[in-house]
Amino acid sequence: MTKEIKKVGIIGAGAMGGGIAAQLANAGVEVVLLDKTKENADKAVERMVNAVPKTMMDAGKDPFNELLMTRENARFITTGDSTNNMDLLADCDWIVESILAPNHVKTGIYQAIDKVAKPTTIYSSNTSTIQIEDLTEGLSEDLKSRFINAHFFNPVRWMHLLEIISNDDADPENVKALMDFGSRVLGKKTVHCKNARGFIANRIGIFAMERAKVEALSQHMKIEDVDAIMGTAFGFPHLGLFKLADEVGIDIIEHVRTDLNENLPAEDAFKRLYTGNEELTDMMDNGLFGNRKADSKGGYYRKKVDADDAFILNEKGKPRKESRDLATGEYRDFENSDYFRFDKQIKKYGGFAKFFESGDPAAKFAWPVIRDLMTYVLDHAEELSYNLQDVDSAMRAGFNWEFGPFELMDKFGVKWFTEKLEAEGRAVPDLLAKAKKKSFYRQENGQNQVMSFDGGYAPIKREDGVLSLDDVKASSKPLVTHNSASLWDIGDGIVALEFHAPKNVIDPSMFWVINESIKLVSANPDKYKGMVIYNDEKSFSFGANLKLVEIFMNASVKPVLRAMGLGGYIEKNMYKVVEEMVYQGQSVYNALNQAPFPVVGAPKGNQKNRAFGGACEILMHCDAIQSGPEQVIALPEPGLGLIPGWGGTTRYLERMFEKPGQMKGPMPAVIESMMTLPNPLVSGAHNAQDAKKKLWLSADDGISMNPDRVLADAKAKAIELAKDYAPKPMPTFNLPGLSGKSAIRMDVDRMYKMGGDPAKGAINHIDVKVADALADIFTGGERLNRADVDLHVDDAAVAAKLKQIMDERGEDSISIHAGITLNISRLLQLERDRFLDRFHDKATWARVKYTLSNGGPPREPRLVPAPTTQEIRDGAPMVELKRRNVTGQPLSGDDAVRLKAMADMASSFHALYEQKSMLSKIQQVPNTLCTARKVFRLL
């Protein structure tokens, strides 16, 4: 049984100590935070609380200060001073020292703590370089057995890596305990490193920075070009190397560089490269610490100031930037690099090998840097790590590399790389020779494998509690698949629905896979008993495929097509396509909700992972959610001038009615929904814990602190739910009708009359129309038509009575009021009607197009002269679509035929986007038009 860690002590409330304490608190672990004074520790907690973001779009913008996931987590932290409050550590299971002090001072602290701590307490230092023997000299053998270095990366919450370092003195059970706790509780990629200088990530990452700096000086490269080249093209962070140094902190970089230079053996390649500490010392002497410290004046890049230290602004009113000249140390105006978005430029060469051999200036710079970096890794991998895979894991998690160095060499081609070294007359490292020109990673016999240090291959290792969808895909074929999604058997009767369109956009292709998956699983209850919805991408999904709609928008207004009479034809069919898409989404989502098996939504929740719009709506229709920690969840449609159309509005209202402590009656839930959804920046969740507060996740939904564990945890939840499972009945609603809508309108009128700048939070004419559309849905509409009574009233007897009343009054409709119980089809019909209202509005088109180009919606100025709210409402387009019930069953018959045709059309449009050359695009056009015409005919 793994040793349990329930309470943790932290010595030092600085950036690292405070960050570790905050992450422990995020995990719900009791933590003691001590510093020289209690005031220092209290201030650290106060900074954490004040840095929690106000809106979802601020999530992760200030990572060095944004440490707590919610303000409430501060309750887990007890503060004190390290002189008078050592007794607070008495029942801690793990104590981490995180101070900047000489080794003998650290050792003295461990000895002082040992006088009050439990005899089973594990000790760690958060050193970034120091080896264990230097820290434990003079300690008892018993304490040495409980001493294990634990190197977190800053900022602790956002950096995924935790390096666990042990020597021969350490008790393996204590190592196992920290590895498990770091992975399962703190959510880290825990990597067991050898007790070597710099461990894994810093040793390799700092070498990369130093090698690039040396080559830049040699070739007189400006740092803007270095950062552009050494960025995403090679899977390094988009910041490049010098901007990354600014983010990490010049003082941290210098500390690690100096330590490596002083303590590595003379023959180590880093020592031969080392350019001294004069530059960075000079920068720090002049207040240039990078971006990590609040009072820093900059780093390799800085904001330009005048003689009075005031920022010099550009034409857009933003501070001008300066860049440091590596050779002279002087600063000059920032220059845009010709290698901007170099990842796209490098693709034009047809691969890395052709690029490196091109002779271009960028290649002449990049090749020696990459070559020597890869050679350094090959020479030292076995010194630093217990296996090759952990080297790659450490660089991905610790330096945010997209590929580890061995994965990168596979992309170059191990055979090519080996022969390139031989052609240059360079020694081939032993580990590279053992590869025998074969890739380091391979897929063999349905298994993902990685090379061992002896040159053989072994299965890629996964920690206990981690299930990899890649491993499933290597050993099987999808049960159902189409362009945008696939269904996989992940064992134990559970299937996984995976999105895989670009940015995981939601379209009819995905709907078709969902629809067919429900049928398949339902038809095989002896084989399958549950489903999880999961993918490994950077974002769960950005929502609906607006690019697909934009194509029709653009085509319908092109002057040439208008002149030929085709613009109107395209526009008319576009509305039909959108209407059908809305109905399809509502239908398959509710069929998922009503399926005879449990469905668990599993957004991975890695950093800045988005579940927007239709992705949020699919989660709202799941029986349960198991989320990763940093999941951003929102319904941003109101910001686009639209409303959620795939059941999001209806399901959010349902959650408001069921909210614990919600006031009784029809209005409180309606009013609260109206106060929330129109403001997605505030109503959107900036992480999974925030999502619980804002009702995107329920109190019973789970949060896996480690994104790597989400799939396994979701699968376990689905297995548990499958026991005696029955779907929850579809909701019904008692809503206030016109009286409620009138009350909402009065409030909107008041806000509109206040005036103000929409860019600063005031509402404009488009907001009024969006609010009116939402109010119509939330209140159940104004009147119930005779034709809708049987479709939309939950009780047949009540429906008959209502028709009798209409007959007696000689009317064809009756007012909605709270005494009429409406079924879900009523609200979904209103969703479709009001969605198409908003979509017919050309102002919505403008917002959609602007958002696709700029990454966010505009905030249009108020019209001059400003119309009244009644004039705005009177001018809003109103439609009443064909009445179609959402049954909770998969689409079938003609509906299923239309869905498949639209799925094929979406697939064809994706194929058109993906064509690289103009010729291939032209060749793809006939097929795309053919699939579109088929859809038009069916509609």
Side-chain angles (χ1 to χ4, degrees):
M1 181 177 176
T2 302
K3 185 174 182 178
E4 194 170 7
I5 297 175
K6 293 183 177 180
K7 186 174 181 179
V8 181
I10 307 295
I11 310 298
M16 289 303 304
I20 298 167
Q23 186 64 5
L24 286 159
N26 288 333
V29 176
E30 189 179 353
V31 56
V32 175
L33 178 62
L34 302 183
D35 204 86
K36 287 183 178 179
T37 67
K38 187 176 186 300
E39 182 184 13
N40 286 350
D42 287 340
K43 285 183 177 179
V45 176
E46 183 182 358
R47 286 193 297 272
M48 297 174 198
V49 171
N50 291 335
V52 174
K54 293 181 174 62
T55 75
M56 67 167 184
M57 295 309 292
D58 295 327
K61 278 191 174 180
D62 187 13
F64 288 98
N65 293 308
E66 192 185 321
L67 304 178
L68 289 177
M69 295 174 74
T70 67
R71 290 179 173 86
E72 292 81 359
N73 289 342
R75 72 187 186 275
F76 293 109
I77 305 175
T78 300
T79 59
D81 72 75
S82 53
T83 301
N84 300 305
N85 301 124
M86 279 289 193
D87 58 307
L88 293 175
L89 303 174
D91 56 348
C92 287
D93 303 296
W94 181 29
I95 294 173
V96 181
E97 164 270 307
S98 181
I99 63 170
L100 187 62
N103 293 348
H104 71 276
V105 173
K106 292 174 183 274
T107 303
I109 290 173
Y110 309 145
Q111 291 171 327
I113 296 171
D114 200 38
K115 294 176 181 178
V116 299
K118 297 189 299 184
T120 56
T121 298
I122 301 173
Y123 291 79
S124 296
S125 175
N126 183 54
T127 175
S128 56
T129 54
I130 306 172
Q131 290 174 272
I132 291 173
E133 291 79 9
D134 297 330
L135 295 167
T136 60
E137 185 177 358
L139 297 182
S140 68
E141 293 303 313
D142 174 61
L143 203 155
K144 286 180 180 180
S145 74
R146 292 180 282 121
F147 194 97
I148 299 159
N149 266 342
H151 179 217
F152 291 87
F153 281 67
N154 196 28
V156 177
R157 174 181 165 190
W158 301 100
M159 297 303 292
H160 194 33
L161 180 62
L162 171 58
E163 291 179 318
I164 299 294
I165 305 98
S166 63
N167 65 358
D168 292 341
D169 294 329
D171 183 341
E173 288 302 310
N174 289 330
V175 176
K176 182 180 178 182
L178 285 194
M179 292 286 289
D180 173 73
F181 184 80
S183 174
R184 180 176 48 82
V185 179
L186 295 182
K188 300 301 176 187
K189 169 64 75 175
T190 51
V191 173
H192 191 195
C193 307
K194 290 184 178 178
N195 189 26
R197 208 79 197 182
F199 317 138
I200 298 175
N202 274 346
R203 182 78 170 270
I204 295 171
I206 296 299
F207 179 91
M209 291 181 176
E210 197 74 5
R211 183 63 187 88
K213 179 181 176 181
V214 168
E215 196 64 31
L217 287 167
S218 172
Q219 297 196 28
H220 309 290
M221 295 281 285
K222 61 183 184 181
I223 65 171
E224 294 95 333
D225 287 344
V226 174
D227 281 345
I229 295 169
M230 303 304 291
T232 54
F234 296 103
F236 303 145
H238 73 279
L239 297 170
L241 298 177
F242 292 105
K243 285 180 184 174
L244 179 63
D246 283 352
E247 289 298 318
V248 172
I250 300 300
D251 52 339
I252 300 298
I253 297 295
E254 175 51 23
H255 170 72
V256 178
R257 290 175 71 253
T258 299
D259 183 89
L260 292 177
N261 181 62
E262 291 177 352
N263 292 287
L264 289 175
E267 65 274 13
D268 192 282
F270 179 85
K271 294 197 72 161
R272 298 198 300 271
L273 280 176
Y274 185 63
T275 55
N277 63 0
E278 293 82 2
E279 179 193 35
L280 298 191
T281 300
D282 176 71
M283 289 173 72
M284 291 187 288
D285 288 344
N286 286 283
L288 297 160
F289 290 91
N291 301 331
R292 189 170 57 85
K293 292 188 175 183
D295 58 351
S296 174
K297 295 180 180 180
Y300 281 105
Y301 298 87
R302 69 181 188 183
K303 295 173 182 177
K304 191 172 185 177
V305 296
D306 59 20
D308 298 321
D309 279 341
F311 291 138
I312 298 174
L313 305 181
N314 61 20
E315 60 279 1
K316 294 182 179 179
K318 296 183 178 180
R320 293 186 181 276
K321 291 190 294 184
E322 291 185 315
S323 306
R324 186 177 179 89
D325 186 288
L326 292 174
T328 67
E330 300 296 323
Y331 284 85
R332 52 168 175 73
D333 287 342
F334 174 86
E335 299 176 21
N336 288 319
S337 173
D338 292 336
Y339 303 108
F340 178 66
R341 291 191 174 179
F342 190 59
D343 53 331
K344 293 187 176 180
Q345 294 186 38
I346 205 169
K347 289 179 182 178
K348 297 178 181 178
Y349 291 90
F352 287 110
K354 291 182 179 178
F355 162 69
F356 283 133
E357 293 169 352
S358 68
D360 286 359
K364 288 181 179 178
F365 168 78
W367 167 245
V369 176
I370 294 293
R371 175 198 65 207
D372 292 354
L373 172 60
M374 296 299 109
T375 302
Y376 192 76
V377 171
L378 289 160
D379 284 337
H380 296 282
E382 198 165 359
E383 170 197 344
L384 305 176
S385 174
Y386 291 97
N387 58 73
L388 179 155
Q389 181 185 341
D390 279 349
V391 174
D392 283 348
S393 295
M395 297 316 298
R396 288 196 308 270
F399 272 72
N400 283 336
W401 289 13
E402 184 177 357
F403 321 112
F406 293 100
E407 292 171 316
L408 191 55
M409 279 186 274
D410 277 355
K411 289 186 175 296
F412 298 158
V414 175
K415 181 176 183 293
W416 174 87
F417 186 76
T418 305
E419 291 174 352
K420 179 76 169 172
L421 293 181
E422 292 171 339
E424 291 183 355
R426 297 179 179 276
V428 174
D430 289 344
L431 185 56
L432 186 60
K434 289 177 183 178
K436 298 178 181 178
K437 302 183 181 181
K438 296 181 293 187
S439 63
F440 291 103
Y441 292 86
R442 73 180 187 182
Q443 207 171 85
E444 190 81 7
N445 299 322
Q447 190 179 69
N448 288 320
Q449 298 179 343
V450 60
M451 199 185 90
S452 305
F453 285 138
D454 61 5
Y457 287 87
I460 288 180
K461 66 182 178 70
R462 310 290 181 193
E463 302 102 311
D464 291 340
V466 172
L467 173 63
S468 168
L469 189 57
D470 277 346
D471 289 348
V472 173
K473 291 159 72 172
S475 60
S476 62
K477 293 183 178 180
L479 304 172
V480 181
T481 189
H482 204 267
N483 182 83
S484 301
S486 295
L487 187 74
W488 300 91
D489 185 337
I490 59 173
D492 300 311
I494 305 300
V495 295
L497 181 71
E498 177 200 23
F499 306 159
H500 47 62
K503 291 192 175 180
N504 288 335
V505 290
I506 296 173
D507 58 21
S509 171
M510 191 177 293
F511 292 156
W512 182 84
V513 172
I514 296 172
N515 203 60
E516 294 303 305
S517 297
I518 297 169
K519 294 177 184 178
L520 174 70
V521 177
S522 300
N524 294 277
D526 294 336
K527 189 173 184 180
Y528 305 118
K529 57 187 177 184
M531 176 188 291
V532 299
I533 301 176
Y534 172 88
N535 64 72
D536 272 320
E537 295 305 311
K538 294 178 180 178
S539 275
F540 185 70
S541 169
F542 277 81
N545 186 357
L546 294 177
K547 280 284 185 184
L548 184 64
V549 177
E550 185 191 30
I551 288 177
F552 288 110
M553 286 180 175
N554 290 338
S556 68
V557 298
K558 282 189 179 295
V560 174
L561 295 176
R562 279 282 176 190
M564 296 171 61
L566 293 176
Y569 169 77
I570 293 172
E571 185 172 337
K572 177 183 175 182
N573 280 288
M574 172 179 63
Y575 290 131
K576 290 181 179 179
V577 168
V578 171
E579 178 187 346
E580 190 68 18
M581 275 182 64
V582 175
Y583 176 71
Q584 288 170 350
Q586 290 181 343
S587 296
V588 297
Y589 282 7
N590 278 282
L592 201 62
N593 178 263
Q594 291 298 296
F597 53 84
V599 178
V600 178
K604 190 170 182 179
N606 41 315
Q607 186 177 349
K608 295 185 180 181
N609 190 312
R610 310 295 199 223
F612 282 167
C616 175
E617 288 171 301
I618 198 171
L619 293 175
M620 295 174 81
H621 286 81
C622 292
D623 295 289
I625 296 172
Q626 185 70 34
S627 174
E630 302 299 345
Q631 191 63 50
V632 179
I633 306 177
L635 290 174
E637 289 88 347
L640 295 173
L642 292 165
I643 61 166
W646 287 328
T649 312
T650 301
R651 292 293 177 174
Y652 195 81
L653 181 62
E654 176 191 16
R655 292 177 180 213
M656 276 297 180
F657 272 112
E658 295 176 349
K659 177 183 174 183
Q662 182 63 271
M663 295 174 63
K664 302 299 181 183
M667 281 303 287
V670 169
I671 291 297
E672 200 168 348
S673 297
M674 277 302 305
M675 293 172 63
T676 305
L677 281 195
N679 190 354
L681 286 179
V682 176
S683 66
H686 48 82
N687 62 62
Q689 292 183 9
D690 188 49
K692 284 202 170 190
K693 295 170 59 177
K694 295 175 178 174
L695 302 187
W696 303 116
L697 271 63
S698 76
D700 295 329
D701 288 334
I703 299 174
S704 304
M705 287 298 287
N706 190 335
D708 296 339
R709 293 175 173 265
V710 169
L711 181 57
D713 291 346
K715 177 183 173 181
K717 186 181 286 286
I719 291 171
E720 182 62 29
L721 289 174
K723 300 172 183 176
D724 303 319
Y725 175 78
K728 178 183 175 182
M730 295 177 82
T732 58
F733 300 88
N734 294 88
L735 301 172
L738 181 57
S739 62
K741 187 175 179 179
S742 298
I744 292 168
R745 281 179 163 179
M746 289 175 62
D747 201 40
V748 173
D749 291 351
R750 177 185 58 80
M751 290 189 288
Y752 181 75
K753 288 175 182 177
M754 289 172 62
D757 183 358
K760 296 181 179 179
I763 69 172
N764 63 17
H765 51 292
I766 299 177
D767 301 323
V768 171
K769 289 185 278 190
V770 171
D772 216 51
L774 287 171
D776 198 48
I777 300 165
F778 286 143
T779 59
E782 297 180 16
R783 299 186 68 81
L784 190 63
N785 296 330
R786 177 184 294 274
D788 292 340
V789 171
D790 291 327
L791 294 175
H792 295 164
V793 176
D794 184 59
D795 189 303
V798 174
K801 183 64 175 177
L802 292 175
K803 287 189 285 187
Q804 181 184 339
I805 294 172
M806 290 184 207
D807 290 338
E808 291 171 356
R809 294 177 179 176
E811 297 176 348
D812 288 326
S813 65
I814 193 167
S815 295
I816 295 290
H817 58 80
I820 302 174
T821 302
L822 302 170
N823 60 28
I824 194 171
S825 280
R826 172 64 178 183
L827 269 71
L828 294 177
Q829 182 68 54
L830 290 172
E831 265 194 18
R832 292 196 299 279
D833 289 349
R834 300 293 79 83
F835 183 93
L836 265 292
D837 288 350
R838 298 284 67 250
F839 188 76
H840 273 267
D841 192 336
K842 292 298 193 289
T844 299
W845 289 28
R847 278 196 174 189
V848 169
K849 291 179 179 180
Y850 182 94
T851 301
L852 288 169
S853 298
N854 297 279
R859 294 295 299 156
E860 302 87 347
R862 291 164 68 92
L863 298 175
V864 179
T868 66
T869 51
Q870 190 57 50
E871 288 171 336
I872 293 170
R873 293 174 184 126
D874 289 343
M878 295 285 288
V879 299
E880 189 169 292
L881 302 173
K882 175 185 175 183
R883 271 32 197 162
R884 302 170 75 177
N885 268 11
V886 173
T887 65
Q889 297 300 312
L891 292 174
S892 59
D894 291 342
D895 289 335
V897 172
R898 284 190 291 270
L899 175 57
K900 182 59 166 65
M902 288 180 62
D904 292 340
M905 180 183 73
S907 179
S908 184
F909 273 106
H910 280 298
L912 185 62
Y913 295 146
E914 291 166 2
Q915 301 306 318
K916 297 294 187 286
S917 69
M918 182 56 65
L919 177 60
S920 59
K921 285 183 183 294
I922 292 171
Q923 292 171 337
Q924 175 63 29
V925 165
N927 182 55
T928 303
L929 291 176
C930 181
T931 58
R933 280 197 298 270
K934 181 178 180 180
V935 169
F936 293 167
R937 286 197 302 270
L938 289 171
L939 294 177

